[in-house]
Amino acid sequence: ACETVCVCVCVCVCVCVGLHNPDRTRRPREMDLALTSVVLVLVPCGLVVLAGVVYLYGLVANLLSKTSVRNKVVVITDALSSLGKECASVFHKGGARLILCGKSWEKLEDLADDLACSSDPTDTFLPKLVLLDFGDMGSMAEVVMEVMECYGCLDVLILNSSLKVKAPAHCVSLETDKLLMDNNYFGPVTLAKGVLPSMISRRTGHLLLVNSIQGKLAIPFRTTYAASKHAVQAFFDCLRPEVEEYGISVSTLSHTYICSTAAQQPISSKTFWSFTSSQRVQGVTPHQAVGEIVRTVMDKRKEVVIAPPLPKVAICTRSFFPNLFFAVMAAGVKNTTALEMQ
């Protein structure tokens, strides 16, 4: 930025000198050569300085990301998912005291062994493991007790679990609706409420919800899924001001889709409906998502949306031009139906 200002100042000086110089008509070529020389010298220097600033910023950010979680107790739900594993790896290397939650004890043990083998044991802590299935609401009280008994407190709770269903509303059974609400709403909410008393008594803590962009944008054929995501988004939005006086931060991170395999890497969609209906939607890699999670924990950002420009435009359209948004959704459903009948 400083180099750009310098260039602008030099250009202005040269122009002003030329305007007030009575001999400017006789020496235009000399002025052009001087201006060219200034630009050729300052622009490369500016680029070098800018590259150095960016590099130093990356080093500082990486250092802060490690120190910001060192020795902190971090709970990660659904640690066996692609995002959960990446998150566990980053926080483990950063020196956090991890509590990994998942449905399979054997897989949790394998994950803990992998983390231990890939890091320096003198700089890291062996993760503690807790069996957790949000679909089994009857076990939630015991889960909360186990989590709190691991270290007696916790600093960061990352709620990462999600269950998805794509189908017409009339084809989804009430049992499936309840299962979706348990996994996507009641489970995360119950765990968060279970650990809140400890955070309030210590007057510190961070609740981070990894949510879907469909908590902000309702898409056809995702009725119950979108409803559960809207509900959990609203819960944590309401909770945020309630606990702020206790020094507790509440963050929500909404993404489009987590690409768990190379075949599901992000692609470009030319229309919004192709974004919503395609099996290969515009997504983010676990590495990208975890990078945003780390920055959110560092900066205590309240809300983050990880999405390409098109879904963000759709969110704005839904807010300011709802009838247009509804018309686009209805047209897309009709086109899908027509293609299926061919």
Side-chain angles (χ1 to χ4, degrees), residues 71-73 148 151-156 195-206 245-248:
N71 295 322
K72 288 190 175 182
V73 180
M148 296 307 302
Y151 290 103
C153 65
L154 73 154
D155 299 296
V156 182
V195 303
L196 265 179
S198 172
M199 290 185 172
I200 291 175
S201 66
R202 297 174 63 234
R203 303 190 74 83
T204 184
H206 195 164
E245 64 176 307
Y246 302 110
I248 300 173

Side-chain angles (χ1 to χ4, degrees), residues 20-141:
H20 292 85
N21 188 352
D23 298 330
R24 63 182 183 275
T25 57
R26 291 178 296 177
R27 296 191 301 172
R29 188 169 184 178
E30 289 79 356
M31 291 291 298
D32 291 342
L33 291 174
L35 180 59
T36 302
S37 300
V38 170
V39 172
L40 290 177
V41 171
L42 290 181
V43 169
C45 293
L47 292 176
V48 171
V49 172
L50 180 60
V53 170
V54 171
Y55 177 74
L56 290 176
Y57 174 80
L59 291 179
V60 173
N62 185 47
L63 178 63
L64 289 176
S65 66
K66 293 182 178 180
T67 58
S68 63
V69 299
R70 181 167 297 279
N71 295 322
K72 288 190 175 182
V73 180
V74 180
V75 179
I76 303 175
T77 66
D78 196 13
L80 299 176
S81 65
S82 58
L83 176 59
K85 290 179 179 179
E86 182 71 21
C87 199
S89 175
V90 171
F91 279 85
H92 178 69
K93 293 177 181 178
R97 302 172 186 263
L98 287 181
I99 303 175
L100 304 178
C101 303
K103 297 181 181 180
S104 171
W105 185 261
E106 290 76 14
K107 292 181 179 180
L108 284 173
E109 287 183 323
D110 291 341
L111 175 59
D113 291 339
D114 292 341
L115 293 175
C117 293
S118 62
S119 59
D120 185 353
T122 61
D123 293 333
T124 58
F125 299 92
L126 188 65
K128 294 185 180 295
L129 311 177
V130 175
L131 279 176
L132 170 62
D133 182 2
F134 282 142
D136 181 13
M137 290 300 298
S139 65
M140 288 306 301

